[in-house]
Amino acid sequence: VQLQASGGGLVHRGGSLRLSCAASGDRLDYYAVGWFRQAPGREREAISCVASSGGRPWYADPVKDRFTISRDNTKNSFYLQMNLLKPEDTAVYYCALCWAGVKGYDYESWGQGTQVTVSS
């Protein structure tokens, strides 16, 4: 499956953005999907993951109660609604397949990310 993120941009602190991820090559129904981000000079940070059947998603503590992941299997897409954005949310955001590993959530099959910049 190939994934492509979009919807990033520049927003002020407290603003909102909705990221989209479009899939091709396979149906997303079969996969857990999620988002991670990477800021310059920092390690990749897992953000969210939701199972193939939906259900209760996982969120990293820094984004809990501000970000919401959703999926629309009929459109072979999933989304990340980001509210109350903070400058520390600035990063390139990637959508990917995800799973819960021994050391936390991990990802594969990500495509090109989308830049999110939050100004103060």
Side-chain angles (χ1 to χ4, degrees):
V1 62
Q2 292 80 47
L3 301 173
Q4 179 64 54
S6 63
L10 172 64
V11 295
H12 292 299
R13 176 194 294 269
S16 298
L17 280 174
R18 185 179 189 237
L19 306 184
S20 298
C21 184
S24 60
D26 202 352
R27 290 176 54 177
L28 281 181
D29 309 49
Y30 306 135
Y31 303 103
V33 295
W35 297 84
F36 67 91
R37 65 188 180 187
Q38 188 158 24
R42 301 188 64 178
E43 292 187 357
R44 188 172 75 186
E45 180 183 20
I47 295 174
S48 185
C49 183
V50 62
S52 58
S53 58
R56 186 174 182 179
W58 169 82
Y59 296 100
D61 286 344
V63 307
K64 198 173 296 182
D65 299 325
R66 298 188 298 122
F67 290 11
T68 302
I69 189 171
S70 61
R71 61 189 301 162
D72 187 343
N73 290 339
T74 65
K75 296 182 178 179
N76 222 30
S77 298
F78 59 103
Y79 312 93
L80 186 69
Q81 177 67 42
M82 306 186 296
N83 298 328
L84 299 175
L85 283 161
K86 305 175 181 180
E88 50 263 45
D89 294 319
T90 295
V92 178
Y93 284 69
Y94 298 86
C95 58
L97 309 182
C98 58
W99 70 91
V102 176
K103 295 183 178 181
Y105 283 84
D106 209 347
Y107 299 85
E108 67 175 4
S109 299
W110 61 88
Q112 187 173 352
T114 186
Q115 175 72 47
V116 172
T117 302
V118 185
S119 66
S120 55

